[in-house]
Amino acid sequence: MTDREDDDIQAAEYIIGLMPLADRKEFETRLQTDTILAAHVNDWTDRLAPFNADYADSAPPPAVKDAIDQRLFASPVGRGNWWSALRIRWAVITAALAAVVLVLGLQILQAQPKLVAQLDPVEMGYRFAATYNRDTGVLTVSTLEAVDIPDRALELWAIGEAGVPMSLGLLTASEDFAISTGLKLQPGTTLAVSLEPLGGSRTGAPTGPVLSAGVLSDV
């Protein structure tokens, strides 16, 4: 391994914060005059910058940092052990980056704010499109074709894992329907539209035929 390749590793350790205090001070002294080393630092800064976007800087108290350095790096590394030290450094760097990627991956998964469903006809029904916003709890349903059912009502239901229908309200024939459900709808929840008397079901459950149905899923 060349000195410059070792400089690249040290630059990564410096940016991630894994470098012992004494080595860090020596490294920062070199940075003042070594332009190639500074380029390595800038390169690692650019690579890791996206991971820092959502987090404010938070330095540990000096006493805590010194204690950690002393515990982890108190024993000097001899020349004969440079390969072992290098493998340890890379293992620590890899573990730190993997942890950051895992956290960001979980955040991305949790950040998906919408669920969607297309309610298709059941025999003689109609087509609807539904969008559920997880952040606000608002469900919006749009009519995809003309609906003309005089003297009857279309009632929307949510059916979760328990299989118990819960009324979400009455749909209008020609306008988008938006309601704050008060429920935490999950992927796999079935949305169904039933034909009911004017004013909706009086029993708390569907009483007429189911005209349309679909399942909520991630965008």
Side-chain angles (χ1 to χ4, degrees), residues 92-141:
V92 174
I93 292 173
T94 301
L97 290 176
V100 171
V101 171
L102 176 61
V103 170
L104 290 178
L106 290 174
Q107 289 179 339
I108 291 172
L109 289 176
Q110 295 171 355
Q112 300 297 331
K114 291 184 179 180
L115 300 176
V116 297
Q118 178 167 311
L119 282 66
D120 292 319
V122 177
E123 296 183 359
M124 301 298 292
Y126 301 90
R127 292 192 307 123
F128 301 89
T131 302
Y132 174 70
N133 189 311
R134 288 178 168 180
D135 293 336
T136 63
V138 173
L139 177 70
T140 303
V141 179

Side-chain angles (χ1 to χ4, degrees), residues 28-38:
E28 289 174 343
T29 300
R30 287 185 56 200
L31 276 179
Q32 298 176 12
T33 57
D34 191 331
T35 57
I36 297 179
L37 184 63

Side-chain angles (χ1 to χ4, degrees), residues 179-203:
I179 182 174
S180 180
T181 65
L183 304 175
K184 293 293 185 181
L185 301 182
Q186 302 296 331
T189 299
T190 297
L191 299 179
V193 177
S194 66
L195 186 64
E196 301 293 340
L198 290 177
S201 171
R202 273 81 166 173
T203 67

Side-chain angles (χ1 to χ4, degrees), residues 19-161:
M19 185 174 287
L21 181 60
D23 292 349
R24 188 179 185 87
K25 291 180 179 179
E26 180 180 347
F27 187 86
E28 289 174 343
T29 300
R30 287 185 56 200
L31 276 179
Q32 298 176 12
T33 57
D34 191 331
T35 57
I36 297 179
L37 184 63
H40 284 304
V41 171
N42 290 335
D43 179 57
W44 275 104
T45 300
D46 293 339
R47 290 192 210 178
L48 301 177
F51 296 133
N52 297 325
D54 297 329
Y55 301 94
D57 292 337
S58 179
V64 174
K65 179 66 166 60
D66 291 343
I68 294 174
D69 287 341
Q70 180 64 27
R71 185 167 183 177
L72 293 178
F73 307 107
S75 300
V77 179
R79 291 182 178 273
N81 295 326
W82 69 272
W83 178 244
S84 296
L86 179 60
R87 288 191 299 174
I88 292 173
R89 287 178 178 179
W90 270 115
V92 174
I93 292 173
T94 301
L97 290 176
V100 171
V101 171
L102 176 61
V103 170
L104 290 178
L106 290 174
Q107 289 179 339
I108 291 172
L109 289 176
Q110 295 171 355
Q112 300 297 331
K114 291 184 179 180
L115 300 176
V116 297
Q118 178 167 311
L119 282 66
D120 292 319
V122 177
E123 296 183 359
M124 301 298 292
Y126 301 90
R127 292 192 307 123
F128 301 89
T131 302
Y132 174 70
N133 189 311
R134 288 178 168 180
D135 293 336
T136 63
V138 173
L139 177 70
T140 303
V141 179
S142 301
T143 303
L144 299 181
E145 57 188 291
V147 177
D148 183 17
I149 305 178
D151 302 324
R152 302 297 292 272
L154 299 178
E155 191 159 358
L156 180 65
W157 305 85
I159 306 169
E161 292 183 354

